[in-house]
Amino acid sequence: MRVAAIDCGTNAIRLLIADVAEGKLVDVARRMEIVRLGEGVDRTGLLAPAAIERTRKALLGYAAEIAELGVTRVRMCATSATRDAGNAHEFRDMVRGVLGIDPEVITGEEEATLSFIGAVQGLDAPGPYLVFDLGGGSTEFVTGTTGVEHAISMDIGCVRLTERHLHSDPPTPAEIAAATADIVAAVDTALAAVPGREARTLVGLAGTVTTVAALALELDAYDSSRIHHSRIDAVDVARVTRELLAMTVAERRALPVMHPGRADVIGAGALIEQIIVERSGHSVVIASEHDILDGIAFGLVEA
């Protein structure tokens, strides 16, 4: 059976096409487009027409690839931006017109569960785990060993925090301090709710985490095989965060591992990751390339 999973978040829309073999997923294709669906949602409460159109164009390409590769089951999940938007029905209508299916607008807790399932598959590290999925509009925190035991979603993400606090290029110390206070409050609330400080292994998911890992590893180009399950020291996360926040967007965009669409929000994202690592008391974070997409796909296998 060949399945397709689509994850549409605040910043990016991603596609996984995989074959199911002996209860495991074998990748056929992975795609990612920065569409910034959640642009302005924190301020306006609405999805912008231009953002919906960017997403539609990306989905058209995904739909063509799904048809070409003979996929038998498709599932699309939409997360933080769509949960928050007052005009989410416009987004749903667009998706139905392109894919012929309705997107599932999942809760933060559902998002956390799917992320955990994807992250722990094949992970060679002791549990219990604290898994955080750092998105554009929200960050999910999950703890568990063989399954999810606690989960919470917090409204801190790289797009949301950039729009809320980091307005200068590069950000000023006052802007960084304001963002830090916001993030610390949210992270401490999350770690109290999910007993994250008791976990033995910290695992980070999504583009911010993998990009920070690539920078910490000093890669000449983005290499998923070297990033996946890499262990990044807390001191290196802090160093990369300082460097990113001191750069202009143009300087970040010139980094060889940086996706151009991530350059303007990676500073806030790295700051969120740094604070999660520090407040959880871990000295190392494992970066995972497998995340909610894999969880969505596993759901199709089990359906």
Side-chain angles (χ1 to χ4, degrees), residues 2-26:
R2 180 164 288 182
V3 301
I6 300 173
D7 166 40
C8 188
T10 300
N11 195 42
I13 184 167
R14 300 180 302 141
L15 168 70
L16 167 62
I17 297 176
D19 288 331
V20 181
E22 299 178 351
K24 296 182 179 180
L25 298 176
V26 179

Side-chain angles (χ1 to χ4, degrees), residues 161-183 245 252 267-268 271:
L161 268 293
T162 299
E163 291 183 349
R164 190 178 290 174
H165 296 296
L166 306 183
H167 304 133
S168 302
D169 186 24
T172 66
E175 290 171 350
I176 294 170
T180 298
D182 207 352
I183 297 164
L245 287 170
R252 296 175 195 162
L271 185 60

Side-chain angles (χ1 to χ4, degrees), residues 91-108:
F91 171 78
R92 290 194 296 270
D93 291 345
M94 180 275 291
V95 172
R96 192 181 306 114
V98 173
L99 287 180
I101 62 170
D102 286 320
E104 300 174 42
V105 181
I106 58 176
T107 67

Side-chain angles (χ1 to χ4, degrees), residues 116-180:
F116 183 87
I117 292 169
V120 301
Q121 295 292 326
L123 179 61
D124 183 17
Y129 309 108
L130 168 59
V131 176
F132 67 95
D133 185 354
L134 202 170
S138 64
T139 296
E140 284 63 54
F141 298 78
V142 198
T143 55
T145 302
T146 58
V148 174
E149 295 171 11
H150 304 277
I152 191 171
S153 178
M154 303 300 295
D155 281 340
I156 50 170
C158 58
V159 175
R160 194 184 297 269
L161 268 293
T162 299
E163 291 183 349
R164 190 178 290 174
H165 296 296
L166 306 183
H167 304 133
S168 302
D169 186 24
T172 66
E175 290 171 350
I176 294 170
T180 298

Side-chain angles (χ1 to χ4, degrees), residues 31-48:
R31 304 283 181 260
M32 189 271 287
E33 298 283 345
I34 301 288
V35 295
R36 199 63 57 84
L37 178 63
E39 185 174 22
V41 167
D42 189 53
R43 176 176 51 84
T44 67
L46 298 172
L47 297 172

